[in-house]
């Protein structure tokens, strides 16, 4: 028999190792929502009349984000929400996820806009992955998906793009940037996003919620689970960072949050802003070709 | 010795890896969550790899395990006792989404 909930005294269902709390299902869900609201406020993610594009992939994080923002947005009648979904064209994987995404949006009454890699870049991720390439599939997919999300958000006239990055993602990013010696990226680490010309400001409201807890939230709230993993996921260096951080978190609960907080401390308000435009597509670029044109040029699309 | 039957449900990537979403497992009278998992993993190496961290000897770094709706970290972990008709849910914490 489990111990009573730390907050309300009802039978608890979850023990939170990094805080020692024992929580019933309802209080667990409430603590997640409270944390997301605090994160939004701390990083001033939205205005009262923001038009928010929510990146929805069909996975548990983006579905949790969609549901939470829908609940929060009900208290802000002048703000609006539109879901944007990107179809990378990964056979056997994205189809199931998009079906779940579209169904969830319909149930919440949220408008959906779907854009595909084929629409935007003329190729699917499967076609890109099948070619001779220098980099892992995720290196192409990540860059192209970010561009696609930006295009989708701009096409629905959003002034914010909210994505479902969780605490695990954030801690992995900090660690990866250290492992790669990518100081500019460390300096630009900001879950509240920055105003950059040509980009819809990107915010990450779930950035302080561990992935284990977005998963439990989705389960306790009856959300559908995608079962098929991305076939290209094994290629990413991020997998190494994930495994290491997962093991450290078991040994030393709270590790992921400390790494994330360190990332915030290392970030600089004066991080280099994008100053030029890409000569091929006109998108914002540090200098010369943008990363999308650089990568798609390399695979000879 | 009389045995008992326990229902196991797989969700997320665990379901795809195993190739099924639920299974009934027959166990001895005094069994624990660890024994349910061992029986489940027997002959299913990929499933074991997906939800069990052999370096740390735990599921905690890659999955959630719920016994009758309670995450077993809130009970006695994998040493938690199971009873006849109990339901175990094995839920992968998979990246992406």
């Amino acid at each position: 028999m489990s111990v009573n909930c730390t907050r309300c005294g009802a039978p608890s269902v979850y023990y939170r190792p990094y805080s020692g709390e024992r929580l019933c299902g309802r209080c667990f869900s409430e603590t997640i929502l409270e944390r997301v609201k605090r994160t939004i406020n701390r990083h001033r993610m939205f205005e009262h009349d923001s038009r928010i594009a929510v990146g929805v992939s069909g996975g548990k994080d983006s579905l949790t984000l969609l549901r939470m923002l829908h609940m929060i947005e009900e208290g802000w009648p002048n703000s609006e929400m539109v879901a944007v979904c990107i179809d990378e064209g990964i056979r056997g994987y994205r189809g199931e996820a998009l079906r779940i995404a579209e169904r969830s949006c319909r149930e919440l009454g949220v408008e959906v806009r779907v854009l595909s890699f084929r629409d935007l870049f003329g190729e699917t991720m499967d076609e890109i992955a099948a070619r001779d390439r220098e980099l892992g599939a995720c290196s192409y997919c990540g860059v192209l998906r970010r561009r696609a999300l930006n295009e989708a958000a701009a096409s629905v006239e959003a002034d914010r793009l909210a994505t479902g990055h969780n605490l695990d993602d954030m801690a992995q990013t900090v660690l990866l940037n250290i492992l790669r010696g990518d100081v500019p990226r460390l300096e630009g680490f900001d879950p509240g996003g920055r105003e950059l010309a040509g980009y819809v400001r990107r915010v990450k409201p779930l950035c302080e919620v561990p992935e284990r807890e977005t998963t439990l939230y989705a389960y306790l709230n009856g959300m559908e689970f995608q079962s098929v993993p991305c076939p290209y996921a094994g290629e990413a260096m991020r997998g190494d960072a994930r495994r290491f951080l997962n093991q450290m978190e078991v040994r030393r609960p709270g590790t992921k949050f400390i790494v994330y907080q360190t990332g915030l401390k290392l970030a600089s308000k004066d991080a280099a802003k994008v100053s030029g435009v890409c000569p091929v597509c006109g998108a914002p670029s540090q200098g010369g070709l943008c990363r999308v044109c650089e990568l798609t040029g390399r695979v000879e699309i | 010795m009389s045995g008992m039957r326990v229902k196991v449900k797989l969700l997320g990537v665990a379901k795809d890896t195993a190739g099924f979403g639920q299974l009934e497992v027959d166990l001895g009278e005094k069994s624990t969550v660890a024994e349910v998992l061992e029986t489940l993993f027997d002959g299913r190496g990929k499933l074991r790899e997906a939800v069990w961290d052999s370096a740390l000897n735990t599921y905690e770094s890659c999955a959630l395990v719920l016994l009758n709706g309670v995450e077993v970290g809130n009970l006695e972990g994998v040493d938690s006792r199971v009873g006849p008709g109990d339901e175990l849910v094995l839920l992968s914490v998979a990246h992406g989404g």
Side-chain angles (χ1 to χ4, degrees), chain A residues 12-13 22 60-62 227 247, chain B residues 16 53 71 74 94-95 97:
Chain A
S12 59
V13 301
R22 293 185 189 269
K60 60 160 183 342
D61 298 316
S62 60
S227 55
Q247 290 183 342
Chain B
D16 181 71
D53 185 331
E71 211 285 320
N74 193 41
H95 176 66

Side-chain angles (χ1 to χ4, degrees), chain A residues 220-251:
Chain A
L220 292 176
N221 288 279
M223 292 181 201
E224 216 177 322
F225 273 89
Q226 184 182 5
S227 55
V228 182
C230 180
Y232 303 115
E235 296 188 24
M237 186 178 172
R238 187 171 281 270
D240 296 329
R242 184 184 327 119
R243 272 182 291 277
F244 171 73
L245 284 168
N246 282 348
Q247 290 183 342
M248 283 302 287
E249 186 69 28
V250 170
R251 288 196 176 111

Side-chain angles (χ1 to χ4, degrees), chain A residues 4 6 9 31 47 49 53-54 98 107 117-118 120-121 136 147 149 158 199 208 232 249 260 274 285 299:
Chain A
N4 288 347
T6 310
T31 62
E47 304 290 337
D49 59 353
V54 184
L98 282 178
E107 282 165 8
F117 271 22
R118 191 176 281 295
L120 286 164
F121 311 117
R147 170 66 64 83
L149 279 169
Y199 288 116
E208 297 191 11
Y232 303 115
E249 186 69 28
Y260 160 73
V274 172
S285 163
V299 292

Side-chain angles (χ1 to χ4, degrees), chain A residues 6 24 57 71 104 109 111 126 134 139-140 142 149 152 161 266 270 275 282 289-290:
Chain A
T6 310
C24 68
S57 65
M71 283 193 279
S104 305
E111 185 194 331
D126 282 343
E134 296 168 26
S139 296
Y140 296 93
L149 279 169
L161 169 60
L266 292 173
D270 304 319
S275 51
L289 283 182
C290 72

Side-chain angles (χ1 to χ4, degrees), chain A residues 2 12-15 22 57 59-62 169 211-212 215-216 219 225-229 238 242 246-247 250-251, chain B residues 11-13 16 53 55-56 59-61 63-64 66 69-71 73-75 89 91-97:
Chain A
S2 58
S12 59
V13 301
Y14 180 64
Y15 170 67
R22 293 185 189 269
S57 65
K60 60 160 183 342
D61 298 316
S62 60
D169 295 318
E211 187 160 35
R212 210 155 183 267
T215 306
L216 185 62
Y219 174 75
F225 273 89
Q226 184 182 5
S227 55
V228 182
R238 187 171 281 270
R242 184 184 327 119
N246 282 348
Q247 290 183 342
V250 170
R251 288 196 176 111
Chain B
L11 289 172
V13 169
D16 181 71
D53 185 331
L56 289 183
Y59 67 90
E60 290 171 65
S61 56
L64 290 156
L66 294 112
V70 180
E71 211 285 320
N74 193 41
L75 302 168
V89 173
L91 175 47
S92 299
V93 178
H95 176 66

